[in-house]
Amino acid sequence: MKGLNSILPTSLVLGATTALAAIAPRASSLPAVTITGNAFYTGNDRFYIRGVDYQPGGSSTNADPIADATSCQRDITEFKKLGINTIRVYSVDNSVNHDTCMNALAAAGIYLVLDVNSPLYSLNRQDPAPSYNDVYLQSIFATIDSFAKYSNTLAFFSGNEVINNTVESTSTAPYIKAVTRDMKQYIGDRKYRSIPVGYSAADVDTNRYETAEYLNCGTDDQRSDFFAFNDYSWCDPSSYQQSGWSQKVALFSNYSLPLFLSEYGCITNTRKFEEVASLYGSDMTPVYSGGLVYEYSQEVSGYGLVSISGSQVSELPDFGALQSAFKATPNPSGNGGAKTSGTASACPSKSETWQVADDSLPAMPAGAAKYLKEGAGTGPGLKGNNGAGSQNAGTASSGTATAGSGQPSVTGTAAASGVSSTSTSSASASASAKSAAGSLRSHELALAPIVCGLVVVASTFLGALLL
C-alpha cells in the first residue's frame, strides 16, 4: 500500500503539517534543572550556576528586562561571549508574554533564576503580617504561571534580602517561609514540574546561618529547595583562606540543600575575579553550586560588566576579567563531591540575633486558597492596583498553619482547610510524577481533536480518489 503522503495532494499534506506546527506548545527546549541531595543536575550531569545578575537600570528599578525582545537579544550576544549559563532577574511584568526572550535564552543555553517579587508586590520588612495577603500571593502565583512553561526557568526566589542586618528583621522569617511553602504548593497543585523555590539572603554574618537552618527545618512542604546568599567578602587580591570563604564552606559542610551565591564580586579593588577558581574548584564544589556575578550593566553602584547607551553595549574591563576567569576554570569532573542525600536542619533557637521562637507559620490567607484550584489568572503587572501594589491591600492571614498543610494535593484544598497531610519524600515524588503526567496528558488531549480532524479530511479525500 502506498503511503498516505504519496496519495494526498502536496497542499493538503503541507497544510496539515502547518496546522500541527501552529498548535505545538511554545516552550524553551533546554533540559530542566533538578535537585538531588545538595546539588543541581541536568539529567545525570552536575549543574553549576555560572551567571550574572541582570537588571539594566538597577535591581530596584520597577522594570522588566526580558519583556523587550530587542534588548534581550542584544544582551544574549554578550552573555555568550562571557560563557555563562544563567541570569538572575529581580523583577518581571507578569501581565505580558516572555516567549521571545525566554526561547532566545534557551537557544543560547541560558537558564533563568527569577525573583517573584517586585517593588510594589513584596513583603514589608517593617510590618510583614498585613503585607502577606491574598493580593500579594495572586501576583506571585501569576508570575509562576507565566514562567512555569519554560524548561529554562531554573528556580524562583521567594524573597530577596528581606532579613537584613537588624535583629528586628529576623521576625519576617516565618512570612518568608510561608511564601516559600505557598509557592511550592501552588506549583504542585497546578501540576507544573517541580521548579525549585528558595531564598536569597543578604550578606550578613550575624544571621545568615540561622536563616539557612530555619528555611531547611520543619516538614517537607515548608522547607526551601535551595539556599542562596550574597557574598562580597572576597576582594582581590585575596585567597580562599584570607577571604573567609574556607570558613563558610566548613560551616555549611553538612547543609543538605543546594547552596549558591546570588551575588558576588567585590569592587573595593580592581576585580580580577580570582574567586572563580575557588568557587568552581574542588575545595568548594562539594558544598556550593556556583554563583551569580553582580552585575551585568553599569549602574550608579559601579558593579557593571558593560555599559549600555540606547542600543549600544560597551564592554568594561571587568567583562574581560570575568570572561578570562571563566575560560580558565572548567567544572570538576563527576559530581564534584556533592552529597546524594541529606536530612532537614534543626530549627535555630531564639537568641539575641534571631527573634523567632518556634517553627509555626501563618496559614495561607483564605482569599488565596481558590488560586490553587482555579489558577491565579492575569497578573497585575508592575504597576497594578493603580500603582498602590499589594502591601496594604487584600486579606491577610488569620491564623497559624498546621504543620504539613502545604503539601500539594490533587484537589488543591489542603492549605485552605489547614488539615494536616503527610509530608514525606515519597509523597512529594508521587505528586511530582502525577504533575508531569498531567502536563503531558493535557498537551496530548489538546492535540487530539485537531489530529482527528486531519484524519477525517485525509480519509474523505482518499475515499473520493477510490470512487
Side-chain angles (χ1 to χ4, degrees):
M1 178 181 287
K2 291 184 179 180
L4 187 60
N5 284 4
S6 65
I7 298 176
L8 294 176
T10 303
S11 59
L12 181 57
V13 174
L14 290 177
T17 303
T18 302
L20 287 171
I23 60 172
R26 297 185 65 188
S28 52
S29 56
L30 283 179
V33 173
T34 58
I35 292 174
T36 298
N38 72 333
F40 296 111
Y41 290 85
T42 51
N44 294 321
D45 298 325
R46 176 88 184 266
F47 181 86
Y48 298 92
I49 294 173
R50 288 177 176 249
V52 296
D53 297 306
Y54 179 59
Q55 195 79 30
S59 59
S60 61
T61 300
N62 203 13
D64 182 347
I66 56 175
D68 185 333
T70 301
S71 60
C72 174
Q73 191 61 62
R74 174 200 68 197
D75 294 331
I76 286 174
T77 300
E78 301 299 322
F79 297 159
K80 291 167 71 173
K81 288 183 185 179
L82 276 174
I84 64 173
N85 61 18
T86 307
I87 61 171
R88 175 192 182 178
V89 173
Y90 292 83
S91 183
V92 292
D93 185 338
N94 57 19
S95 68
V96 302
N97 184 279
H98 294 85
D99 284 356
T100 301
C101 187
M102 288 299 292
N103 285 315
L105 287 167
I110 297 171
Y111 291 84
L112 171 69
V113 175
L114 180 62
D115 290 68
V116 297
N117 295 277
S118 67
L120 293 180
Y121 289 84
S122 57
L123 291 175
N124 183 347
R125 182 188 295 123
Q126 305 301 322
D127 191 12
S131 66
Y132 174 61
N133 58 56
D134 57 330
V135 174
Y136 168 56
L137 290 178
Q138 190 274 335
S139 178
I140 285 179
F141 294 161
T143 299
I144 292 173
D145 288 341
S146 295
F147 286 88
K149 63 181 176 179
Y150 305 119
S151 64
N152 59 327
T153 298
L154 192 163
F156 293 121
F157 279 133
S158 59
N160 174 50
E161 297 187 329
V162 183
I163 300 171
N164 60 17
N165 59 356
T166 66
V167 175
E168 293 76 17
S169 69
T170 63
S171 63
T172 64
Y175 296 93
I176 297 168
K177 194 167 182 175
V179 173
T180 301
R181 174 203 64 202
D182 297 344
M183 290 174 63
K184 291 175 64 173
Q185 182 172 10
Y186 186 80
I187 289 168
D189 279 5
R190 299 308 300 160
K191 297 180 171 59
Y192 295 135
R193 67 177 172 87
S194 296
I195 305 168
V197 179
Y199 177 71
S200 171
D203 188 3
V204 177
D205 287 335
T206 54
N207 57 44
R208 180 191 297 121
Y209 192 66
E210 286 84 352
T211 302
E213 286 184 310
Y214 180 75
L215 295 176
N216 188 33
C217 75
T219 54
D220 285 353
D221 62 305
Q222 300 173 351
R223 295 170 60 209
S224 289
D225 296 316
F226 64 87
F227 183 71
F229 62 90
N230 305 337
D231 192 339
Y232 294 94
S233 58
W234 184 310
C235 298
D236 292 327
S238 190
S239 68
Y240 179 58
Q241 299 292 339
Q242 182 182 343
S243 65
W245 282 26
S246 61
Q247 298 172 28
K248 291 166 189 169
V249 170
L251 181 65
F252 281 98
S253 61
N254 292 318
Y255 197 63
S256 62
L257 301 181
L259 187 75
F260 66 93
L261 299 181
S262 41
E263 294 177 7
Y264 74 94
C266 170
I267 59 170
T268 299
N269 304 312
T270 300
R271 292 202 287 190
K272 297 181 180 179
F273 292 103
E274 295 173 344
E275 64 264 51
V276 166
S278 288
L279 185 58
Y280 300 97
S282 58
D283 284 335
M284 295 186 69
T285 56
V287 179
Y288 285 58
S289 290
L292 299 153
V293 170
Y294 192 81
E295 64 182 319
Y296 175 70
S297 57
Q298 183 76 303
E299 310 299 341
V300 294
S301 55
Y303 285 82
L305 302 174
V306 305
S307 64
I308 300 175
S309 178
S311 61
Q312 300 300 311
V313 175
S314 301
E315 296 170 4
L316 300 174
D318 286 357
F319 184 98
L322 181 61
Q323 183 184 48
S324 297
F326 279 151
K327 284 183 178 179
T329 311
N331 293 331
S333 60
N335 73 351
K339 298 181 180 67
T340 56
S341 62
T343 58
S345 300
C347 293
S349 301
K350 186 175 181 179
S351 68
E352 292 182 358
T353 58
W354 185 256
Q355 296 296 296
V356 181
D358 54 43
D359 60 352
S360 61
L361 301 180
M364 180 186 287
K370 63 184 178 183
Y371 302 128
L372 300 174
K373 291 183 66 175
E374 301 172 6
T378 303
L382 293 170
K383 298 179 181 178
N385 195 18
N386 296 317
S390 67
Q391 290 191 352
N392 296 300
T395 303
S397 174
S398 59
T400 301
T402 303
S405 62
Q407 187 70 31
S409 63
V410 176
T411 59
T413 57
S417 64
V419 176
S420 179
S421 61
T422 302
S423 179
T424 64
S425 298
S426 60
S428 298
S430 175
S432 299
K434 290 178 181 177
S435 297
S439 297
L440 288 171
R441 284 198 298 271
S442 66
H443 290 310
E444 293 166 359
L445 292 173
L447 287 171
I450 301 171
V451 173
C452 291
L454 291 172
V455 171
V456 170
V457 172
S459 300
T460 302
F461 190 84
L462 179 60
L465 289 179
L466 295 176
L467 290 175

